[in-house]
Amino acid sequence: MKKALSLKSTSAFLYRAVPALILFPFVSAPIALAAGLMLSFFGHEDAKPETGRTISFLLQASIVLMGFGMNLGTVLTAGISGFKITLFSVVSTILVGLFLGWIFRVDKKTSYLISVGTAICGGSAIAATAPVLKAENRQISFALATVFILNSVALFLFPVLGHIMHLSQETFGYWAAIAIHDTSSVVGAGSVYGPHALEIATTVKLTRALWIIPVTIITALINKSDNRINIPWFIPLFVVAMIIAHYIPHWSHTFAHLSWLGEKGLLVALFFIGAGISKKDIKSAGWRPVLMGLVLWTLVSVSSILILN
């Protein structure tokens, strides 16, 4: 009993202390995510704070703040070319995902949610399409668990593979934006690889995230749903931040501080995202959805790097 209480109090303390330590310069995105995962797996389950909505807002606000540190010219170039790439990859990924779901005998709605999450922007796309798809909580949980597990692996794996393949920062930025699920891990991987990779990865991923809107509308029409469609508010604000930084250059020092604050906010969000993934979540996903998601992710990763090279 005393050991359980001690573990709970220690875990509660770490959930408060670790986010403060993340502000130190030696902490990177993979370290922040790994710290959250370690605390989730070995800490006390009851000590976890309720951070779902807070972390979602923190992640999105951090991306907006990071817009103050982006180069508008680079972003516009990446956005135009990124749109062409995402148009093909989003449609093809969803179609291939549905086919794989049929092969692995995954529930249709679960396979659709995994496909949309892989094609667009992970958990955000799943959260947006699930209501209009009229998916059950069980199906949403399976899809989210599958995407979050693979997304966490991608944050660690992609920068290593990028260096092994001697990818330029530009190529890596496009690759990360196409092949990594969640915006948080795309931005995290880009920041690890380099500043130019971060600019391209963030821009192309946000361009990709815009596909939430047409895909959700099409899904609603097919399923004859009248549920409210959620539009990602942070994307236009990200663009506004870049425009402000471009046209008011004498505030560059202030914008640099805002960008730094966004980068640190992202790391804190990644810590709590990792802390939210439990052993129970991994077990509940089951092997069929995870295997389907893994095969789909592998196909997207390999085909996209072949096209980019």
Side-chain angles (χ1 to χ4, degrees):
M1 184 69 176
K2 288 183 178 180
K3 287 184 178 180
L5 289 173
S6 177
L7 178 60
K8 184 177 180 179
S9 59
T10 302
S11 300
F13 170 76
L14 289 174
Y15 276 117
R16 294 191 297 269
V18 174
L21 296 175
I22 286 174
L23 298 177
F24 284 90
F26 60 82
V27 178
S28 63
I31 292 175
L33 183 64
L37 288 168
M38 291 290 288
L39 188 53
S40 175
F41 290 168
F42 299 106
H44 198 288
E45 186 69 23
D46 293 339
K48 287 185 178 183
E50 293 292 332
T51 56
R53 291 185 178 180
T54 303
I55 295 309
S56 177
F57 175 80
L58 176 61
L59 171 62
Q60 295 170 350
S62 297
I63 291 172
V64 173
L65 290 174
M66 290 173 71
F68 287 105
M70 300 288 180
N71 182 283
L72 185 61
T74 302
V75 166
L76 287 174
T77 303
I80 293 170
S81 58
F83 179 82
K84 299 173 184 176
I85 296 171
T86 55
L87 172 61
F88 171 76
S89 61
V90 166
V91 175
S92 60
T93 299
I94 292 175
L95 292 176
V96 172
L98 292 174
F99 177 67
L100 289 174
W102 175 73
I103 290 178
F104 289 109
R105 290 182 291 171
V106 177
D107 174 84
K108 287 182 180 179
K109 290 185 179 180
T110 303
S111 65
Y112 183 80
L113 291 174
I114 293 173
S115 301
V116 169
T118 305
I120 304 175
C121 56
S124 300
I126 292 172
T129 54
V132 299
L133 187 64
K134 299 178 181 177
E136 299 174 5
N137 288 336
R138 172 183 57 85
Q139 296 165 328
I140 299 170
S141 298
F142 284 178
L144 286 173
T146 300
V147 167
F148 283 151
I149 291 167
L150 298 177
N151 189 59
S152 300
V153 173
L155 178 57
F156 294 101
L157 187 62
F158 269 58
V160 175
L161 292 177
H163 287 299
I164 291 174
M165 293 185 288
H166 304 290
L167 299 181
S168 66
Q169 288 201 32
E170 180 178 3
T171 302
F172 181 84
Y174 280 111
W175 186 44
I178 293 169
I180 299 179
H181 304 81
D182 256 14
T183 304
S184 57
S185 288
V186 171
V187 176
S191 66
V192 171
Y193 208 76
H196 189 47
L198 174 61
E199 286 183 338
I200 292 175
T202 304
T203 305
V204 176
K205 190 61 180 180
L206 293 184
T207 302
R208 193 182 187 87
L210 290 172
W211 284 93
I212 287 177
I213 301 169
V215 168
T216 305
I217 291 172
I218 292 170
T219 304
L221 291 173
I222 292 173
N223 288 274
K224 298 180 180 178
S225 173
D226 56 357
N227 286 326
R228 181 171 171 265
I229 297 171
N230 295 315
I231 298 174
W233 58 268
F234 64 96
I235 296 177
L237 290 182
F238 171 79
V239 176
V240 170
M242 287 189 297
I243 293 173
I244 291 173
H246 180 77
Y247 286 104
I248 313 179
H250 55 278
W251 285 7
S252 59
H253 290 296
T254 300
F255 296 144
H257 290 308
L258 291 174
S259 179
W260 176 87
L261 187 62
E263 291 173 6
K264 293 305 176 182
L266 171 70
L267 296 183
V268 174
L270 284 171
F271 166 75
F272 282 110
I273 288 171
I277 300 174
S278 65
K279 295 177 183 177
K280 183 180 178 182
D281 292 332
I282 296 174
K283 289 180 180 178
S284 69
W287 69 270
R288 290 184 188 277
V290 173
L291 183 58
M292 174 218 152
L294 176 61
V295 172
L296 179 60
W297 177 48
T298 303
L299 289 174
V300 171
S301 301
V302 173
S303 60
S304 58
I305 195 60
L306 291 175
I307 292 171
L308 290 169
N309 278 336

